[in-house]
Amino acid sequence: MLDDALALFAKRNTTPYVYTLNYPELEEILLKKNFRLYDVQHVLAKVPDSSRTPKVRTISSDESMIWSKTFCDAYDCPDWLRLVDRIVKKSASSVGYFVDDSISSCVALYEKNSILGLYCLGTIPGMRKKGLAALLIDFALSEVKRRNLELLMLETYQKDALLDFYSKLGFKEIYQKNIYTI
């Protein structure tokens, strides 16, 4: 099966990534097939512990370009703007898109199975270290409470070096996955 998948990736000229969760046998096979450990994905969670509800701007599908531009500026991917905007427009009915009042930080929130998932948290470089991402996290936690959900969950990569940031905000690691690639 792995050989078939690798052939498909080669045919499409794309790079395969395999996420493993406590599966040493698979990791051994991947290493034998010349995969290497690329990164570790940490899955973190936090239960709301305050009643603070920061003011943020909710983005509708009509305003999708506001969120898309903030995201692309934060992640330094201006070439993705049209693609990101199409995705935001298409998914705005099932994903919540939010920016801070200065439109310098963005986040996407998705609810499933009594959990609120936090995705695409980013701040444009010139506005980092001003508490804007933490403000959006506080907003997400207030949404967990308002919607009577269990917890807020997010994923971060070890290479991004954000574990300390999230730990200081009270997030705890639930599990981690190893990511392999060729």
Side-chain angles (χ1 to χ4, degrees), residues 69-82:
K69 182 159 179 14
T70 304
F71 172 86
C72 289
D73 288 347
Y75 284 88
D76 191 25
C77 56
D79 296 346
W80 296 4
L81 184 59
R82 290 185 193 273

Side-chain angles (χ1 to χ4, degrees), residues 88-177:
V88 172
K89 279 185 186 302
K90 270 177 101 172
S91 61
S93 62
S94 59
V95 176
Y97 293 98
F98 306 91
V99 294
D100 71 292
D101 280 342
S102 69
I103 310 176
S104 301
S105 196
C106 63
V107 70
L109 301 175
Y110 180 75
E111 181 181 331
K112 187 171 182 179
N113 299 330
S114 296
I115 296 172
L116 190 62
L118 184 142
Y119 299 93
C120 304
L121 178 65
T123 303
I124 62 173
M127 295 296 285
R128 291 181 181 156
K129 304 217 183 276
K130 296 183 184 221
L132 299 176
L135 177 131
L136 290 175
I137 290 171
D138 284 347
F139 171 75
L141 288 164
S142 73
E143 282 294 291
V144 169
K145 201 169 194 175
R146 185 184 70 78
R147 298 178 192 189
N148 200 29
L149 302 174
E150 292 177 26
L151 52 91
L152 178 64
M153 193 166 101
L154 62 87
E155 301 165 339
T156 189
Y157 296 96
Q158 192 162 310
K159 286 183 180 182
D160 291 338
L162 292 169
L163 282 175
D164 286 344
F165 170 74
Y166 291 121
S167 292
K168 288 177 185 171
L169 295 174
F171 283 88
K172 305 288 183 219
E173 185 168 83
I174 300 173
Y175 62 91
Q176 65 184 35
K177 301 176 195 176

